[in-house]
Amino acid sequence: MSTQATSIRRSRDVPTLVAGAREGDHRAVARLVSLVENDDPVLPEVAAALAPHTGSAQVIGLTGSPGVGKSTSTNELVRAFRARGQRVGVLAVDPSSPFTGGAILGDRVRMQDHATDSGVYIRSMSSRGHLGGLAAATPQAVRVLEGAGCDVVLIETVGVGQAEVEIASLADTTLVLLAPGMGDAIQAVKAGILEIADVFVVNKADRDGADATYRDIQGMIGLGERGPGEWRPQVVRSVANRAEGIDDVMAAMDKHREWLTRPLPGGAGAHELTRRREARAAAEVEAIALGALRARIGNLRGGEALPTLAARVAAGKLDPYAAAKELLSTLEV
């Protein structure tokens, strides 16, 4: 490794890193994402420097059960977006060990086709025990890729199953991948992951049962109640390992993108994309504020306030709600 690469890898010089990321230096982008993942003290400075360059990328989430072909589909979508001349960032979240915290970050292996493409940045992230299919650092990592000039950010979730719905609050468009023979006909009548899709992709559509899965999903969508002008999820077929049906997936996403940018009735020029992004920003701000609050409460464990209140609650002299209220009053606002 060159001296310059080593310097960037260890650097905490935020203006230099942001400038490098804006110029397409993958090492600078990698360093910024690492700062985000490690919750580095310079993170507020990173966020402030990136803020003017964020908010324009198309954020697409891919989720579904393990084995449905998320990584293969992501690989083909990257190829399709690059054919349009767009810069693409990929955040692939892998499950981590509950014992060591480690993870096999396999998506880099699956997406080697784009390893030498300067217009593609691929980053595998460990979930580090965070539930919901994403890593806790994913929202800020998206901001890094937006700030680095990516036109499209693809987020591939862990693939933990029916409860993996957090991606819907982060993505502009959410793709739910299904495959025949994996129980998705039963899942179609359940609450959870199938309710978050903007586009359903029946992958491995060359297998027996694909038509039945397609019909089941269409039937489930038909049972849903929608008001005038509301989005009706699209259902498309694909065989990602043969690059078949990817044009249909792209067309469905384009259609959803067009719907997102239509003016809302009585919205004074606002549209659904604005509403979703404002909701996403609100959740992001709330998460940062709650994290800071938890850190302050954690610091109280070394003092007297929390142990004293805990002793009173344990002795039945104070209820936990009153104790929490008293504890919050000791924190600086």
Side-chain angles (χ1 to χ4, degrees):
M1 183 178 291
S2 69
T3 302
Q4 182 184 8
T6 302
S7 176
I8 290 176
R9 184 170 60 85
R10 296 176 180 174
S11 174
R12 294 170 78 248
D13 180 353
V14 173
T16 299
L17 289 173
V18 170
R22 294 289 298 161
E23 293 171 2
D25 187 338
H26 282 198
R27 292 168 300 191
V29 177
R31 181 56 181 151
L32 287 170
V33 175
S34 293
L35 293 175
V36 166
E37 285 191 291
N38 297 329
D39 196 19
D40 194 277
V42 302
L43 195 50
E45 185 182 351
V46 171
L50 290 172
H53 310 296
T54 59
S56 60
Q58 180 180 3
V59 182
I60 298 169
L62 293 91
T63 189
S65 302
V68 297
K70 292 190 301 297
S71 294
T72 305
S73 297
T74 300
N75 188 64
E76 294 306 316
L77 289 176
V78 170
R79 195 186 313 279
F81 280 115
R82 288 298 292 146
R84 294 181 175 183
Q86 294 177 288
R87 293 184 64 186
V88 183
V90 178
L91 295 174
V93 185
D94 280 308
S96 58
S97 166
F99 305 106
T100 66
I104 297 177
L105 305 178
D107 294 286
R108 294 187 186 185
V109 176
R110 300 187 191 106
M111 300 180 201
Q112 282 300 306
D113 292 352
H114 310 290
T116 59
D117 187 344
S118 61
V120 179
Y121 178 83
I122 299 171
R123 176 71 173 234
S124 291
M125 304 176 70
S126 168
S127 64
R128 300 189 182 184
H130 185 76
L131 301 179
L134 300 177
T138 306
Q140 292 302 318
V142 169
R143 287 190 174 276
V144 170
L145 296 187
E146 284 187 304
C150 290
D151 302 301
V152 179
V153 178
L154 296 168
I155 306 170
E156 180 190 329
T157 71
V158 168
V160 295
Q162 191 174 328
E164 191 173 303
V165 297
E166 188 176 343
I167 185 61
S169 65
L170 184 58
D172 300 328
T173 300
T174 301
L175 274 61
V176 172
L177 273 68
L178 311 168
M182 298 188 67
D184 288 318
I186 300 299
Q187 300 300 330
V189 296
K190 290 186 177 182
I193 191 171
L194 293 182
E195 294 180 329
I196 69 170
D198 297 306
V199 178
F200 289 101
V201 180
V202 180
N203 192 35
K204 305 183 181 181
D206 55 338
R207 294 187 177 182
D208 292 340
D211 289 341
T213 300
Y214 183 90
R215 288 194 301 270
D216 288 335
I217 300 304
Q218 288 282 22
M220 181 203 70
I221 293 172
L223 294 174
E225 295 183 2
R226 292 173 193 83
E230 290 188 14
W231 174 252
R232 178 186 172 91
Q234 304 286 292
V235 188
V236 296
R237 298 177 174 90
S238 71
V239 185
N241 63 356
R242 297 207 302 252
E244 295 176 4
I246 300 302
D247 288 344
D248 293 335
V249 178
M250 294 288 288
M253 289 193 296
D254 288 343
K255 187 175 181 180
H256 184 249
R257 180 77 173 181
E258 189 272 333
W259 176 81
L260 285 173
T261 54
R262 290 178 185 172
L264 293 171
H271 42 66
E272 176 66 14
L273 183 60
T274 300
R275 189 199 65 78
R276 291 193 181 196
R277 290 186 171 181
E278 287 178 353
R280 184 162 80 209
E284 204 174 336
V285 172
E286 181 182 13
I288 293 170
L290 288 174
L293 187 59
R294 290 191 191 99
R296 290 183 184 180
I297 292 175
N299 291 337
L300 291 178
R301 291 183 180 275
E304 297 181 0
L306 185 56
T308 299
L309 290 169
R312 292 172 64 192
V313 171
K317 297 178 180 180
L318 188 67
D319 70 86
Y321 287 92
K325 184 176 180 179
E326 188 173 333
L327 179 64
L328 289 173
S329 70
T330 66
L331 298 175
E332 295 181 7
V333 177

